[in-house]
């Protein structure tokens, strides 16, 4: 699909992988709407790329519906949707005091990462399937998993479960959407320089980067955005999960 002139949605677009993706799509000529909880950063980012910002809670169906409606009113229905919204607070199943992880804490991660991605995906797909096809397709949806879906570390039970769910739903959703000409893909990033890692000291960042076989550095969010653009461009990419990790395999801790 030619990105130029298309309406695009990026959740979590106020920072990190989402912000890099929003910038790249806008640079390619897309009309980008950023959906995020962070109104301050989201508004600034939208202004920088000539897009629009919609304050959104991806776990709330009504909030997502309103955001998609507002974005469509400005840009038209989205043919490109990228889900980058996510959280990942580390927590062991049983803490040092021998207490179990509260179920509410586990579900908070699953609700944002997995249910939130599905919430946006399903509502966007419902609108996308009503669009006229452009060549072979109507649109493309890209979700964000993580290498934690495969190599989850100690303290990542909730995060790995949420990202594993995104991996698992990729193929069945792609199969369902195939008859509408809507592609569904997932990217599973490794160690990337997102706001969480940016808060670490530089020597700690370099140490983490050296764990990556090649290139021996943390991933740049722009690397993620480049892959999104490639997925949008290549109609044969569908129903697949791509690890974007420099060949790293995470240790237990």
């Amino acid at each position: 699909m030619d990105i130029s002139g298309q309406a695009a949605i990026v959740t979590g677009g106020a920072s990190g992988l989402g912000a890099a993706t929003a910038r790249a799509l806008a640079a390619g000529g897309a009309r980008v709407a950023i959906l995020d909880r962070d109104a301050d950063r989201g508004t600034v980012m939208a202004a920088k790329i000539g897009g629009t910002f919609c304050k959104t809670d991806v776990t709330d169906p009504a909030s997502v519906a309103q955001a998609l409606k507002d974005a469509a009113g400005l840009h038209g229905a989205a043919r490109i949707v990228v889900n980058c919204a996510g959280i990942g607070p580390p927590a062991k199943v049983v803490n040092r005091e021998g207490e179990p992880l509260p179920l509410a804490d586990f579900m908070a991660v699953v609700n944002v990462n997995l249910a939130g991605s599905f919430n946006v995906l399903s509502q966007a797909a419902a609108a996308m399937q009503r669009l006229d096809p452009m060549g072979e397709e109507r649109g493309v949806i890209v979700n964000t998993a993580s290498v934690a879906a495969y190599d989850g570390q100690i303290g990542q039970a909730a995060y790995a479960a949420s990202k594993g769910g995104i991996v698992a739903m990729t193929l069945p959703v792609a199969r369902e959407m195939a008859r509408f000409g809507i592609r569904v893909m997932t990217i599973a990033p490794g160690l990337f320089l997102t706001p969480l890692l940016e808060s670490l000291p530089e020597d700690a960042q370099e140490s983490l980067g050296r764990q990556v076989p090649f290139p021996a550095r943390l991933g740049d969010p722009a690397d993620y955005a480049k892959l999104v653009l490639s997925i949008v461009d290549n109609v044969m990419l569908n129903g697949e999960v791509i690890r974007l990790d420099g060949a790293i395999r995470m240790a237990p801790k």
Side-chain angles (χ1 to χ4, degrees):
M1 178 186 294
D2 184 0
I3 291 170
S4 181
Q6 304 304 331
I9 297 288
V10 181
T11 72
S15 62
L17 302 179
T21 300
R23 282 194 296 268
L25 287 170
R31 303 187 300 273
V32 181
I34 292 172
L35 277 55
D36 204 294
R37 293 187 300 184
D38 190 332
D40 292 337
R41 286 187 177 184
T43 301
V44 170
M45 180 56 62
K48 286 181 178 179
I49 65 172
T52 189
F53 172 75
C54 301
K55 184 174 174 62
T56 313
D57 178 356
V58 295
T59 68
D60 181 357
S63 178
V64 169
Q66 187 63 54
L68 294 179
K69 180 180 178 181
D70 292 345
L74 292 170
H75 301 157
R79 292 185 184 271
I80 301 168
V81 175
V82 186
N83 274 313
C84 292
I87 60 174
K92 291 185 177 181
V93 176
V94 179
N95 66 19
R96 292 179 180 177
E97 287 71 43
E99 299 169 337
L101 176 68
L103 182 59
D105 293 354
F106 181 91
M107 290 306 302
V109 177
V110 172
N111 283 336
V112 172
N113 296 353
L114 176 56
S117 294
F118 179 81
N119 189 19
V120 174
L121 176 158
S122 61
Q123 293 197 47
M128 200 180 288
Q129 71 181 25
R130 294 191 291 267
L131 300 175
D132 292 331
M134 294 186 61
E136 295 181 280
E137 62 184 327
R138 283 186 169 85
V140 57
I141 300 169
V142 181
N143 296 313
T144 305
S146 167
V147 296
Y150 309 97
D151 313 334
Q153 297 183 295
I154 293 170
Q156 287 189 318
Y159 184 71
S162 69
K163 296 301 188 178
I166 292 174
V167 167
M169 76 176 178
T170 302
L171 183 58
V173 177
R175 285 172 163 171
E176 180 180 342
M177 291 296 114
R179 67 191 181 100
F180 301 113
I182 299 171
R183 295 185 289 123
V184 181
M185 288 287 294
T186 294
I187 300 173
L191 295 175
F192 270 69
L193 192 58
T194 56
L196 177 63
L197 293 187
E198 284 176 347
S199 66
L200 298 176
E202 188 172 342
D203 58 344
Q205 294 179 20
E206 292 176 356
S207 176
L208 286 170
R210 286 194 294 271
Q211 296 179 26
V212 182
F214 183 82
R217 61 169 174 81
L218 295 175
D220 188 314
D223 298 326
Y224 175 96
K226 288 177 185 177
L227 181 53
V228 171
L229 298 189
S230 296
I231 290 171
V232 173
D233 181 63
N234 192 333
V235 72
M236 282 300 290
L237 287 172
N238 190 23
E240 186 57 88
V241 181
I242 302 175
R243 286 185 66 133
L244 187 65
D245 59 18
I248 196 170
R249 296 298 180 267
M250 303 300 293
K253 59 181 179 179

